[in-house]
Structure formats: C-alpha cells, structure tokens
C-alpha cells in the first residue's frame, strides 16, 4: 500500500497544467515528465530542453558544478576556467592573502598559467550521472532490510550509494563517488555520481572594494552595484583525470563550456539558472515556520551580532586581524542579516497566514478523501513542534556560541588518552597521544586564528549563553565559573586563555617536557572541552529522541500536498543537488510609490562612493575608467556600463555563483543574492516580490579586461556579440 502511494505521488507531482508562476527549483531528471518545456518556451526559451539535460549526451548540465563546499560555478572556456562569485572564492583569496600580498584589498590577476595559484583543499565537482533509486529503497523497506524511518538516514543511504557504485560501470573511474538522497521528504530517492577535481587554482579576483562593494549595508538589497565574481581553473593529469596538485598537471580540457553573450538584456527577457541551491523549507506548517523564527533565526541573530561587534572592532584596528578574520566575518554576517530579513519578511508577506490557510484547505481535502493519515498529520507535526521548540532553541544557541563562535578549545579526547597512557605507563600510547596533541595544537593556532581576538569573543559569548539558557542546562564549566571565580567571566576567560596547556606554545612545550596526569586533570581548557562535548552529546540525544517519526510525518504531509495541488507540478525542497529555475528579467515595486528598475549601472557606484566608509570605497583605476568612459565593447547602447540586474528566478543559498543564461543557453550573468523583501522565500515563494540579483557578465568581463588587464582570459572564452 505504501509503495502504491509513492507511485501515485510520482504521477501527481509530474502532472501538468499551465499556470503563471516562476516558483520551483526543478529536478533536471524530471523536466521532461513534468512538461516544463511548454512553460519554459512560453516565457522565452529558444533552445531544445534536451540540450539543457539529457543523460545520453553532453548538455548545459556538464558545464556547471559545485565550487568548494557550498557554491556553484560554471565553466567558461575550453581550458577549465571557472566563474563563480567573489564571496564564494573569498576563502581562497583570504587563504593566499597576507599583509605583504593583500589580494583581498588589491585583487589578484594571473596573466598566464604559471601565475595561477594552487589552492589546497579547494575542489570542483561535476554531476556525471543521476539515477532514480526509489524502487530500490522501497524494495529494501518491503523486504525489511531497512525500516521506513531508517531509509532517510545517512548510514543507510551511504551504504546503498556505495553498493550501487560497486555495481556501476563507473566504479573504477578516477575521482568518482556516489551520493544517495531523499526527495519530496522521502517519497522519491535519487543517486548522484559525482566526479571531483582536487587541483583548483586561483586565477583572478577583483579588489574587495569591487567584489564586495556595498558590504553589509547592501547585502540582500537592491539596487546593487557589486561585481561579485572570481575566476579559478581546474587542473588535471595529462590524461584529463582528477589528480592531487602536481606541477605536472595541466588545465583541464573540458567536455562542455558556456558561451557568453554580449547582446544584453531587456525587461521580460527569458532567464534560467542552473545550480546547487542549498536548502529550502517550502512544505513547513505554520507552527514550523514559527519555530524557524524563534528557535533558529532569533538565537542566530543575537549571538552573531555580539560576536561580529567584537570582530569588526578588532579588524578595523589591525590589517593582520582584518585579513585573518575577513572570511569568518563575511560568513557570519551573511546569514545574520538573512535571519533578520527572513523574520521581517515572514511578517510583512503574511507567510503565517498563508500557511494557516493552506492547512485549512488541506484539512478539507483530507476529509473529502477520507484519508486518515492526511487528516491527523498536521496536528501531529504541531505536537512535535511544541516538544522540540525548547531543545532546538538551546541547540541553536549552543552551536552559535560553542561551534561557530568561540574557536579556542583543546582535544579533550587526546588528553584523556594521554592521561590513561600516563597512568598505565604505556610508552607507545603516550607517544601516539602526544603526536595527536601536537597536530591538534597546530590546528587551533593556525594562521587565521588570533588568541587575543578570540579571548574577547569568549568574554562576550559565555555570559550571553548563561543569560539565555536555564542554569541546570549549562555545561559543567559554568559551575567552575561560579564556584572558583565568583561568577567573574572575565577572570575565568583570562585564566583559560593564559594558563591552560593549549593557551600558547610556551605552556604546551612546558607540558610536553614533563606530561603528567595531574596537569591534565586540573587543566581548565581540558575541563571546558570535556564539558562542552558532554553538553553537545546531551543536546544531540535530546534532539534525536524528539525527532522520532517527524520524517514520516513530513513524508505523509508532502505526499498529501502534492496530491491536493495536482495537476500543478511541485518541486521538492532544495538539498544542494543540481536544479534548474526559469523566469524573466523583471523590475519590481516593493512598496507603494517605489519602483525598482531591472538593472543598475556604474554611475550608481560613483553615486554611492564614500571614502570614509570601507564598504563604499571606489578604486582610483575604476574611477579613471568611468571618467574616460573606457568600457570597450561592454557598454550599453547609451554609453553607460551595466553592473547588475534582476530576474524572477527562484534561488537560495548554494546558488551563489550560478550561471544566469538567456533563451539560447548563453551566459548573461552570475547569480549572487536575493532581495530583502523576499527573504521569506525559502519558506514561501512570493511571485510578485521574489527576485534574484545577478552581476551582468559585461561588467565582469570589463573588470577582467580593463581593470585587471587579463586579456589572456578574455581570449580563451567563447564570446557572442
């Protein structure tokens, strides 16, 4: 019976009737079944949909991949040149920067292959193949090889992916791995064959005053004038296979790359985006939306705001600290502001009311269908929310303070192993534990860590956590603060950061010269780290217990919603797998009397210039080019230089760096942001307000050629005028 319902869902969710909506992060493998070609062509698609994705031939899909750990990139030359966002490449730019070579401030421009910089840890991943494994999962459930609840689990899906790879013709192909994931909340399952390239080199990046122009102030805002791009290149061995870095590696000769259009764009033009959207929650109930607001967004806002205030002050006072913490600050502030905007947009756009109405409609539908599972599912989800809310709130505060806030810690596990070895006088175990501790010490005190900055962060965040969390749920070291330091957080932090074994190299070396179990037992940082780990486990256990059956409830609810909305096709929530969205270039009216046109120009950069504000500094060379109107072939018909534009495409985090293509599949821009008024879009899409902000490809090429002087890069691209 359950298997039958899944098959029914597949039919319902792939049925079609024409509707006016741009919503949907669509699965490439379902585009034909869902008849998306008719809808896309009605909005301006000129190419054959089979040239976008076809498992049996090279398509646009093969020119798009995962850049790094959380962005999208596109191939823009036959020689493996990658275009992505500046903020996506920011880690790499920061990694290569120093006070002596400040690429964050000055930019970086490689004029030949020899100048391109190897970037350890950076990868680029292509999707080689997509396989529907729903029947296999359902078969395992039916044969009791796995329970329905376990079928969602990472362990089962990882094992299944490994088994499928062993049976595949790709099992011996270099760089190939597999990933199995649920879709439609477990009503469908797909297996992805991924090819990973490990030698990715930095090629070009504009100064941050261009690539991050507008900073926090303009983030998530329109009008926008940020040239948010960076360029990298894939290297491979001489056979074109993935390989670790070697001087012998050569630029990858790719199977597919995107052509670039300089024809420009007009309001109403077709636009499509292919990329890897990270996460959406379009199927949440009203109670779950409230949970997102109070248990996730609010704690994140409070903790990050406090930490960022410290970082901002310290970064302003020191170039070394600015470079060390540039990427960390950017990552933190991005979703700090997003959380603020989301909570506001949920209220402004009446998302709670929309969800409540949907639940009323679903209740009527369930009664009419006489489906007992559907009739009770929302109430069961509401009960789950009531149970999980305090645990999830605490969990968010914990993660924000102790996992992404305070950096200093020690390896309590390695110290514990060493203590046992010392007490038993096992020399081999002692030596092994000490080697582990040396690696852990180096990992903590890396080039991007500043002990004094982190000390100041800890002095702010430790009391903040105590203020927000009940006393009986605080980690055990809070008792030490009260009993041994009279509740003085500053005194405790100073002792922690001055006296502990891991506090500095001198302390660490002194301990290694005579390691004792007593020193480990009494060390404040060992106690802190052990207490933190115990608290994390307790929270994880509580979360796991409270999450019982919620996946099955969501599976039922989504199946019912797809059935209720049939024959209109519905897209599954984003989960960082390849998707396509389509829409149009379009202006919008955020409020009464306010109209935002669909594009901006370099004139707006000059209007925003403020030499006293680091977010709005304009480089002298860019001003020279502007004053001379030296735009080359990249200018508009009226002589202005285009910078950014708006489309109605449905995107979210992970789409950063995604190619924006016209009806012929030619690159016209790179997506980098959403607009403030629609930050509730991850939960509820608003067709009137939702906009994708993209940098115009003409602005990118202008900066590369005229400001960066990299005609060598322009010459290897396929450009259509």
């Amino acid at each position: 019976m359950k298997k039958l319902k899944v098959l029914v869902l597949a039919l319902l969710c792939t049925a079609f009737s024409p509707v006016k909506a741009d919503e949907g992060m669509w699965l490439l493998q379902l585009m034909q079944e869902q008849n998306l070609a008719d809808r896309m062509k009605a909005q301006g698609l000129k190419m054959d949909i089979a040239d976008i994705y076809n498992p049996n031939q090279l398509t646009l899909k093969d020119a798009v991949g995962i850049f790094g750990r959380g962005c999208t990139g596109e191939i823009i030359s036959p020689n493996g040149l990658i275009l992505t966002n500046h903020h996506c490449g920011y880690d790499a730019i920061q990694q290569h920067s120093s006070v002596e070579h400040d690429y964050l401030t000055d930019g970086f421009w490689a004029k030949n292959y020899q100048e391109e910089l190897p970037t350890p840890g950076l990868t680029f991943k292509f999707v080689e193949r997509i396989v529907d494994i729903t029947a296999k999962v359902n078969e395992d459930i039916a044969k009791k090889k796995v329970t329905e609840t376990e079928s969602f689990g990472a362990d089962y899906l990882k094992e299944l992916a490994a088994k499928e790879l062993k049976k595949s013709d790709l099992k011996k192909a270099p760089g190939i791995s597999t990933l199995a994931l649920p879709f439609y909340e477990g009503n469908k399952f797909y297996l992805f064959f991924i090819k990973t390239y490990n030698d990715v080199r930095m090629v070009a990046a504009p100064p941050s005053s261009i690539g991050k122009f507008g900073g926090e102030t303009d983030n998530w805002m329109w009008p926008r004038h940020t040239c948010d791009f960076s360029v990298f290149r894939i290297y491979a061995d001489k056979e074109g296979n993935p390989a670790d870095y070697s001087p012998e590696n050569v630029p990858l000769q790719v199977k597919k790359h995107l052509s670039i259009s300089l024809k420009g764009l007009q309001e109403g033009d077709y636009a499509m985006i292919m990329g890897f959207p990270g996460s959406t929650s379009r199927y949440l109930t009203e109670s779950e939306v409230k949970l997102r607001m109070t248990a996730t967004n609010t704690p994140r806002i409070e903790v990050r705001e406090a930490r960022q205030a410290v970082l901002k002050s310290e970064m302003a006072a020191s170039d070394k600290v600015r470079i060390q913490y540039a990427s960390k600050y950017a990552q933190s502030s991005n979703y700090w502001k997003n959380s603020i905007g989301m909570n506001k947009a949920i209220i402004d756009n009446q998302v709670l009311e929309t969800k409540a109405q949907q639940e009323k409609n679903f209740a009527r539908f369930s009664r009419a269908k006489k489906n007992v599972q559907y009739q009770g599912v929302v109430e069961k989800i509401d009960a789950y929310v009531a149970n999980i809310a305090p645990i999830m709130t605490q969990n968010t505060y914990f993660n924000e303070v102790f996992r992404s806030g305070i950096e200093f810690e020690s390896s309590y596990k390695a110290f514990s192993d060493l203590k046992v070895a010392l007490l038993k006088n096992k020399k081999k175990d002692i030596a092994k534990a000490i080697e582990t501790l040396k690696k852990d010490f180096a990992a903590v005190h890396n080039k991007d860590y500043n002990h004094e900055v982190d000390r100041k962060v800890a002095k702010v965040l430790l009391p903040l956590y105590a203020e927000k969390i009940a006393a009986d749920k605080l980690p055990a070291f809070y008792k030490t603060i009260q009993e041994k330091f009279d509740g003085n957080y500053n005194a405790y932090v100073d002792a922690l950061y001055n006296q502990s074994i891991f506090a500095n190299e001198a302390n660490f070396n002194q301990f290694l010269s005579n390691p004792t179990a007593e020193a480990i037992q009494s060390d404040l940082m060992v106690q802190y780290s052990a207490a933190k780990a115990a608290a994390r486990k307790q929270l994880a256990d509580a979360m796991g217990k409270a999450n019982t059956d919620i996946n099955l409830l969501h599976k039922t609810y989504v199946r019912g919603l797809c059935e209720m909305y049939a024959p209109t096709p519905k897209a599954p929530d984003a989960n960082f797998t390849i998707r396509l969205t389509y829409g149009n270039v379009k202006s919008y009216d955020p409020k009464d009397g306010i109209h935002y046109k669909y594009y901006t120009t370099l004139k707006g950069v000059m209007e925003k210039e403020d030499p006293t504000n680091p977010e709005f500094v304009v480089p002298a060379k860019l001003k020279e080019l502007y004053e001379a109107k030296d735009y080359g072939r990249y200018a508009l018909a009226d002589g202005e230089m285009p910078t950014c534009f708006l489309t109605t495409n449905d995107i979210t985090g992970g789409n950063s760096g995604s190619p924006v293509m016209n009806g012929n599949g030619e690159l016209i821009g790179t997506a980098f942001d959403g607009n403030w008024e629609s930050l509730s879009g991850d939960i509820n899409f608003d067709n009137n307000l939702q906009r994708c902000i993209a940098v115009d490809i003409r602005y990118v090429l202008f900066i590369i050629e005229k400001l960066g002087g990299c005609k060598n890069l322009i010459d290897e691209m396929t450009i259509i005028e």
Side-chain angles (χ1 to χ4, degrees):
M1 189 66 179
K2 288 180 180 177
K3 184 174 181 180
L4 176 62
K5 287 181 178 177
V6 172
L7 294 174
V8 170
L9 171 81
L11 294 172
L12 292 170
C13 283
T14 57
F16 167 74
S17 70
V19 294
K20 183 188 180 301
D22 301 316
E23 176 182 1
M25 299 175 187
W26 302 101
L27 295 173
L28 301 184
Q29 61 270 32
L30 288 181
M31 288 194 305
Q32 296 280 9
E33 294 178 55
Q34 292 181 319
N35 294 312
L36 294 185
D38 293 340
R39 299 170 69 181
M40 294 160 73
K41 288 182 180 296
Q43 291 189 225
L45 177 68
K46 296 180 176 63
M47 65 190 300
D48 192 316
I49 194 171
D51 292 325
I52 297 174
Y53 172 75
N54 185 327
N56 301 314
Q57 66 185 48
L58 287 177
T59 60
L60 290 183
K61 182 269 293 182
D62 299 296
V64 181
I66 298 173
F67 178 85
R69 290 175 293 176
C71 282
T72 300
E74 55 268 19
I75 307 301
I76 57 170
S77 88
N79 304 323
L81 206 61
I82 305 166
L83 178 65
T84 189
N85 286 157
H86 184 270
H87 74 263
C88 292
Y90 203 64
D91 275 350
I93 303 166
Q94 185 269 340
Q95 175 183 332
H96 290 297
S97 293
S98 63
V99 175
E100 294 75 25
H101 298 286
D102 190 354
Y103 300 133
L104 290 172
T105 299
D106 303 329
F108 174 79
W109 308 102
K111 305 299 172 59
N112 51 59
Y113 291 150
Q114 290 70 36
E115 293 180 0
E116 296 175 358
L117 298 179
T119 308
L122 183 59
T123 62
F124 194 84
K125 300 180 179 182
F126 292 100
V127 176
E128 290 288 294
R129 187 179 297 171
I130 306 171
V131 179
D132 188 341
I133 56 169
T134 308
K136 172 60 179 171
V137 175
N138 288 337
E139 179 184 337
D140 284 352
I141 293 171
K143 291 182 176 180
K144 300 188 184 304
K145 292 182 179 180
V146 65
T147 67
E148 194 172 6
T149 298
E150 290 169 343
S151 70
F152 294 90
D155 291 341
Y156 165 73
L157 292 175
K158 183 178 181 180
E159 182 181 348
L160 177 59
K163 288 179 180 177
E164 292 299 310
L165 177 59
K166 286 182 180 179
K167 296 189 294 184
S168 168
D169 60 309
L170 294 175
K171 62 183 177 183
K172 294 184 179 179
I176 293 293
S177 61
T178 48
L179 177 67
L181 291 171
F183 292 77
Y184 293 107
E185 301 296 335
N187 288 287
K188 296 281 285 184
F189 290 84
Y190 289 97
L191 179 70
F192 296 82
F193 288 78
I194 309 292
K195 177 177 278 190
T196 301
Y197 287 86
N198 298 314
D199 187 355
V200 179
R201 306 186 191 180
M202 189 165 81
V203 176
S208 293
S209 55
I210 292 174
K212 282 176 66 68
F213 182 77
E216 280 182 32
T217 303
D218 274 5
N219 194 18
W220 305 105
M221 297 295 182
W222 184 263
R224 201 66 170 275
H225 302 84
T226 311
C227 199
D228 196 344
F229 83 93
S230 56
V231 181
F232 294 77
R233 192 187 304 277
I234 303 171
Y235 279 71
D237 66 20
K238 292 179 180 179
E239 285 72 46
N241 293 318
D244 291 335
Y245 168 77
S246 166
E248 303 301 315
N249 287 349
V250 296
L252 177 66
Q253 301 303 295
V254 296
K255 297 182 293 184
K256 179 75 176 178
H257 72 279
L258 298 181
S259 298
I260 296 170
S261 172
L262 299 185
K263 297 175 185 176
L265 44 92
Q266 301 294 325
E267 179 127 23
D269 282 358
Y270 177 83
M272 63 182 172
I273 292 176
M274 190 180 292
F276 294 80
S279 177
T280 56
S281 306
R282 298 273 170 82
Y283 296 99
L284 293 182
T285 63
E286 180 190 9
S287 64
E288 289 177 304
V289 175
K290 291 178 180 176
L291 183 69
R292 172 71 64 85
M293 296 174 73
T294 59
T296 300
N297 290 350
T298 297
R300 177 184 292 153
I301 293 165
E302 292 174 349
V303 177
R304 294 193 182 192
E305 197 165 85
R307 178 173 181 255
Q308 287 164 201
V310 175
L311 298 187
K312 192 170 188 177
S313 174
E314 297 298 310
M315 291 166 69
S318 164
D319 281 340
K320 180 182 178 182
V321 174
R322 173 180 56 79
I323 293 169
Q324 285 179 313
Y325 282 84
S327 181
K328 296 174 188 176
Y329 186 91
Q331 290 174 5
S332 176
S333 65
N334 190 35
Y335 271 85
W336 161 75
K337 190 169 183 179
N338 176 279
S339 296
I340 294 171
M342 181 184 291
N343 278 4
K344 183 179 187 303
I346 286 171
I347 301 301
D348 291 349
N349 300 339
Q350 298 186 313
V351 173
L352 296 174
E353 291 83 351
T354 301
K355 292 291 184 180
Q357 185 59 54
Q358 177 175 268
E359 288 168 29
K360 289 180 181 178
N361 296 342
F362 186 73
R364 285 195 294 269
F365 169 79
S366 301
R367 289 193 296 270
K369 295 289 292 185
K370 297 181 180 178
N371 187 308
V372 177
Q373 283 187 315
Y374 292 172
Q375 286 176 12
V377 70
V378 172
E379 290 76 10
K380 291 177 182 176
I381 292 174
D382 290 344
Y384 153 79
V385 168
N387 186 38
I388 198 75
I391 306 170
M392 187 176 290
T393 302
Q394 183 185 351
N395 192 60
T396 304
Y397 276 115
F398 184 92
N399 288 335
E400 291 292 331
V401 170
F402 296 112
R403 302 191 76 175
S404 58
I406 299 169
E407 298 175 81
F408 185 37
E409 64 178 351
S410 69
S411 175
Y412 84 94
K413 178 64 168 60
F415 272 116
S416 178
D417 291 344
L418 178 57
K419 185 172 72 171
V420 171
L422 287 167
L423 291 172
K424 294 182 178 181
N425 196 27
K426 292 189 174 182
K427 293 184 178 180
K428 286 186 178 180
D429 291 345
I430 291 172
K432 182 179 179 181
I434 286 176
E435 286 305 307
T436 300
L437 286 174
K438 287 179 179 179
K439 293 177 183 177
D440 292 342
F441 180 86
V444 171
H445 293 272
N446 60 71
K447 78 178 186 71
D448 294 328
Y449 171 77
N450 187 297
H451 199 59
E452 295 311 306
V453 172
D454 198 59
R455 180 199 301 264
K456 293 179 180 179
V457 170
K459 287 181 177 181
V460 170
L461 296 192
L462 287 181
L464 174 61
Y465 189 76
E467 177 187 331
K468 298 297 179 180
I469 303 302
D472 63 339
K473 290 182 170 56
L474 294 174
F477 65 80
Y478 275 93
K479 188 175 180 181
T480 301
I481 296 173
Q482 296 304 319
E483 293 180 352
K484 294 187 178 181
F485 293 86
D486 296 324
N488 188 325
Y489 286 96
N490 287 351
Y492 171 75
V493 170
D494 284 337
L496 197 66
Y497 280 65
N498 290 339
Q499 300 170 14
S500 66
I501 295 169
F502 260 30
N504 51 59
E505 194 168 353
N507 288 10
F508 187 51
N509 289 337
Q510 183 179 358
F511 170 77
L512 292 183
S513 68
N514 182 32
T516 66
E518 291 78 13
I520 295 171
Q521 184 71 26
S522 62
D523 189 79
L524 282 178
M525 179 48 74
V526 174
Q527 295 170 9
Y528 168 91
S529 298
K532 189 175 74 167
R536 182 168 65 237
K537 183 180 184 306
Q538 188 177 30
L539 268 172
D541 290 345
M543 288 282 288
K545 185 177 179 181
N547 276 331
T548 303
D549 293 335
I550 186 59
N551 287 333
L552 296 184
L553 294 176
H554 284 149
K555 182 175 182 178
T556 300
Y557 187 45
V558 169
R559 183 170 63 240
L561 286 175
C562 282
E563 189 176 339
M564 182 178 79
Y565 284 116
T568 302
K570 302 289 287 184
D573 273 325
N575 58 357
F576 203 49
T577 55
I578 193 163
R579 307 291 181 96
L580 181 121
T581 76
Y582 63 90
N584 300 92
V585 175
K586 192 174 182 180
S587 307
Y588 76 107
D589 302 313
K591 295 180 181 179
D592 181 45
I594 298 177
H595 175 74
Y596 286 148
K597 68 180 182 181
Y598 66 91
Y599 72 97
T600 56
T601 69
L602 191 55
K603 180 181 178 182
V605 173
M606 304 306 158
E607 290 172 345
K608 286 182 176 180
E609 181 186 13
D610 181 358
T612 67
N613 185 341
E615 294 184 338
F616 294 99
V617 170
V618 179
K621 189 170 183 179
L622 184 59
K623 286 197 281 188
E624 290 173 11
L625 292 166
Y626 172 75
E627 289 164 1
K629 296 293 185 279
D630 184 10
Y631 305 142
R633 55 180 169 167
Y634 307 118
L636 297 169
D638 63 3
E640 294 292 336
M641 182 70 232
T643 52
C644 300
F645 63 93
L646 294 170
T647 74
T648 59
N649 290 88
D650 187 1
I651 67 161
T652 190
N655 274 124
S656 291
S658 294
V660 185
M661 296 168 281
N662 62 20
N664 295 315
E666 300 157 349
L667 188 66
I668 57 174
T670 301
F672 70 90
D673 215 348
N675 59 318
W676 180 254
E677 296 83 5
S678 68
L679 285 185
S680 57
D682 284 356
I683 295 171
N684 190 71
F685 185 89
D686 188 316
N687 197 56
N688 294 317
L689 287 176
Q690 198 94 6
R691 293 294 182 274
C692 163
I693 302 174
V695 57
D696 195 303
I697 195 63
R698 292 168 292 181
Y699 191 28
V700 172
L701 299 188
F702 160 72
I703 293 295
I704 290 175
E705 180 178 343
K706 296 289 186 175
L707 189 137
C710 284
K711 185 69 162 50
N712 56 304
L713 300 180
I714 302 295
D715 290 343
E716 68 176 273
M717 301 175 194
T718 303
I719 297 176
I720 301 170
E721 299 193 58

